[in-house]
Amino acid sequence: KAAEINPYYWLNYNTLGLGYLRYGKNDEGLDALKKVTQLAPKNGLGYLNIGNAYYRLGKWDDAAAAYKRSIEVEPSYLAYTNLGTTYFFLKRYPEAVQMFEKAVEMNPNQQLAVGNLADAYRWAGEKQKALDTYGKAIALASKELQVNPRDANIMAQLGQYYAKSGKTAEGLQYLKRARAIAPTEISFMYFEG
């Protein structure tokens, strides 16, 4: 209704597009988000969210192009990390490493970004860099758990970092703790398996 009343305000279309994406209406979301870039072409958020819509549709090359455009217009941590993830799924690991390095440079205390970088190093065949970076991700996630010791998502991330760095027993302990807090979380079951 807001977009109908004021069709010249980009934020209305951005909110509408995100709403569609949230409810699995990816094509409708993409259409609304394209209006954002028409109304506000110098706003990186529109291109970022278009990339997210393409990502959900499995259109990796289109997602990468939208994330690149977002970075050109307005470089952000999210655009770099999302482009890195897209390259990762395209198995373009050296490029994924570069994007995750930029994301970590912009947000060095974000454990998920550091963990993503470690994954990219691992898949790019840079074993020692991966192990060192998993160590940093473990330290950051552990620090977050001190703030909220019952954060199941952080616990699960921590479990994955331990497991991927070769410390399987420690990893399983954290994953079991995460599952005890959130027993119906399907992703935790997957990680534990």
Side-chain angles (χ1 to χ4, degrees):
K1 189 72 172 165
E4 192 177 294
I5 291 170
N6 188 353
Y8 303 105
Y9 185 43
W10 70 268
L11 188 58
N12 290 338
Y13 288 103
N14 191 68
T15 304
L16 178 62
L18 293 176
Y20 278 133
L21 292 182
R22 179 169 287 171
Y23 290 101
K25 295 182 176 187
N26 298 319
D27 290 319
E28 292 95 328
L30 182 58
D31 290 341
L33 293 167
K34 285 180 179 178
K35 293 227 185 234
V36 173
T37 60
Q38 292 167 3
L39 294 169
K42 296 196 188 274
N43 185 331
L45 186 61
Y47 300 103
L48 176 71
N49 288 330
I50 286 173
N52 293 340
Y54 281 128
Y55 182 92
R56 286 172 162 248
L57 290 165
K59 295 181 177 181
W60 309 113
D61 291 324
D62 292 331
Y67 293 139
K68 284 181 194 175
R69 183 69 181 127
S70 178
I71 290 167
E72 288 171 12
V73 171
E74 189 176 0
S76 71
Y77 155 77
L78 283 175
Y80 280 114
T81 200
N82 289 357
L83 181 55
T85 302
T86 302
Y87 284 152
F88 188 86
F89 285 120
L90 286 168
K91 298 183 178 166
R92 294 165 56 179
Y93 303 121
E95 292 168 280
V97 165
Q98 291 175 344
M99 294 305 106
F100 288 134
E101 285 175 338
K102 288 294 247 180
V104 169
E105 184 181 304
M106 293 183 88
N107 200 347
N109 295 317
Q110 214 302 333
Q111 58 86 14
L112 187 58
V114 175
N116 285 341
L117 177 57
D119 287 341
Y121 282 142
R122 184 168 60 108
W123 282 95
E126 298 186 48
K127 186 176 181 177
Q128 191 55 53
K129 277 187 176 180
L131 289 173
D132 294 343
T133 308
Y134 281 127
K136 291 175 187 172
I138 288 168
L140 290 168
S142 296
K143 192 174 181 179
E144 284 187 46
L145 269 185
Q146 289 175 356
V147 174
N148 181 0
R150 294 197 42 84
D151 188 324
N153 289 316
I154 300 300
M155 248 180 248
Q157 290 294 330
L158 189 55
Q160 287 184 82
Y161 301 148
Y162 272 115
K164 290 175 182 178
S165 64
K167 299 175 182 173
T168 309
E170 292 95 330
L172 283 172
Q173 285 178 336
Y174 280 103
L175 286 166
K176 285 180 183 185
R177 286 176 52 197
R179 289 218 34 228
I181 293 168
T184 60
E185 179 57 52
I186 294 170
S187 64
F188 297 172
M189 294 177 209
Y190 174 77
F191 298 149
E192 191 177 15

